Amino acid sequence: MPSCTGAETFVDPWAEVFRQPRGRRPTAAKSDRMAERVTPRRRGSYGIDAPLAPALLAGLVILYLVLAIVTGRGRFWLSFSFVLAFEAYYLHSTLRGKFVVWAGLLDRLGLRGDERILDLGCGRGAVLLMAAQHLATGRAVGVDLWRNFDQSGNSAEATRRNAVAEGVADRVELHTADMTALPFEDNAFDVVLSNFAIHNISGRAGRAKAISEAARVLRPGGRLRIVDVRGTRQYQAQLARLGLDDVARRGLGWWFWPAHLVTATKPQPGH
């Protein structure tokens, strides 16, 4: 499979939501390149999630603006303002908000730096490469089918370019693979992540299979973090049925609505 080998103060608005459990802190194994805190500021180009959505919203903005100007009716001005605000909210979430959220999530995992991390539906690497910045000897592995309607400009080559731009190409590995049939052995990863991806799978059965695959490849004691805009109650129930520990679902604040975070830990043998 292909492989990518080749001080600002950040105030986290989700600090209470993502509070790190006590007792797990980074060890001295981390190298100097991991000394600075990973921030949401990115050097790569990550495209727009579900690019058809903001395109349709932009069309509605133009339509309501024209109707408002031509008719002078207040309801069209109101509709124009509402859709414009939602368009701005959507673009903020995909271009900035998700990086802020994941910077907090990854920081609070307290990674040692030697973990194997899997990102399901990694796209152009927004979460994958941020996770890789927490690693020294570990590996960040991304899987995707590289579909442009899921993310604009989505391709393995775009992700490789971003890995180079972020300085983590030596720690990143990419696979073209389906989340419902992962090409990895059982218990292969310390952490499994996913951002705005699993809901793209058609049908509840397909999404359930992806969750089962995520649990299968997670090592005992490994941790799961899924952020998605819908289907999260199903993920939570599926993980509980699979016997994972500490299964929880929570919101990410009003500015990142309607996304929710699902967390779980794979139990140790005999637990």
Side-chain angles (χ1 to χ4, degrees):
M1 291 293 183
S3 175
C4 293
T5 55
E8 70 177 314
T9 300
F10 167 54
V11 179
D12 185 359
W14 287 276
E16 184 65 24
V17 177
F18 300 128
R19 178 171 290 141
Q20 180 178 340
R22 296 178 182 269
R24 181 177 176 85
R25 296 184 180 275
T27 68
K30 289 193 173 185
S31 68
D32 291 341
R33 68 185 175 184
M34 300 173 60
E36 294 185 4
R37 182 176 182 182
V38 177
T39 73
R41 181 172 294 176
R42 302 285 85 196
R43 298 183 179 90
S45 175
Y46 295 94
I48 296 174
D49 297 318
L52 183 59
L56 290 174
L57 287 172
L60 286 174
V61 167
I62 295 171
L63 174 63
Y64 284 126
L65 177 60
V66 171
L67 289 172
I69 293 173
V70 171
T71 67
R73 292 183 179 177
R75 62 174 180 171
F76 290 129
W77 283 113
L78 182 61
S79 297
F80 163 75
S81 300
F82 176 81
V83 177
L84 181 63
F86 192 77
E87 172 86 325
Y89 167 83
Y90 186 98
L91 291 175
H92 175 272
S93 295
T94 191
L95 296 175
R96 169 71 177 172
K98 66 184 178 185
F99 296 102
V100 176
V101 167
W102 279 101
L105 280 172
L106 292 168
D107 187 59
R108 286 164 180 79
L109 280 173
L111 299 171
R112 300 180 305 273
D114 61 352
E115 292 87 353
R116 283 180 57 82
I117 299 175
L118 175 64
D119 184 5
L120 301 175
C122 66
R124 294 171 65 165
V127 175
L128 176 71
L129 305 184
M130 192 178 289
Q133 289 179 310
H134 286 264
L135 302 177
T137 59
R139 200 77 168 162
V141 179
V143 299
D144 207 299
L145 294 176
W146 318 111
R147 301 183 301 191
N148 284 321
F149 57 83
D150 291 333
Q151 188 174 73
S152 63
N154 194 14
S155 71
E157 184 54 38
T159 309
R160 292 189 187 97
R161 289 195 299 269
N162 284 338
V164 172
E166 303 292 357
V168 295
D170 60 325
R171 287 162 268 171
V172 172
E173 179 181 326
L174 301 178
H175 293 256
T176 300
D178 192 323
M179 286 184 280
T180 65
L182 294 172
F184 307 114
E185 297 180 355
D186 295 356
N187 309 320
F189 295 94
D190 300 287
V191 179
V192 175
L193 311 171
S194 185
N195 181 70
F196 293 172
I198 298 175
H199 77 273
N200 290 317
I201 299 173
S202 178
R204 289 181 61 87
R207 293 190 290 273
K209 179 61 176 173
I211 295 298
S212 295
E213 281 289 274
R216 177 183 68 80
V217 301
L218 194 62
R219 288 175 179 162
R223 292 168 289 172
L224 179 70
R225 300 289 185 270
I226 299 172
V227 173
D228 218 334
V229 292
R230 58 185 174 87
T232 51
R233 292 189 186 279
Q234 179 191 351
Y235 310 161
Q236 180 186 19
Q238 176 76 4
L239 290 166
R241 285 194 296 269
L242 292 170
L244 273 72
D245 291 335
D246 304 320
V247 179
R249 172 185 177 271
R250 59 179 178 265
L252 296 169
W254 69 270
W255 189 237
F256 212 58
W257 180 88
H260 284 79
L261 168 69
V262 176
T263 62
T265 303
K266 191 166 184 177
Q268 298 285 352
H271 176 68

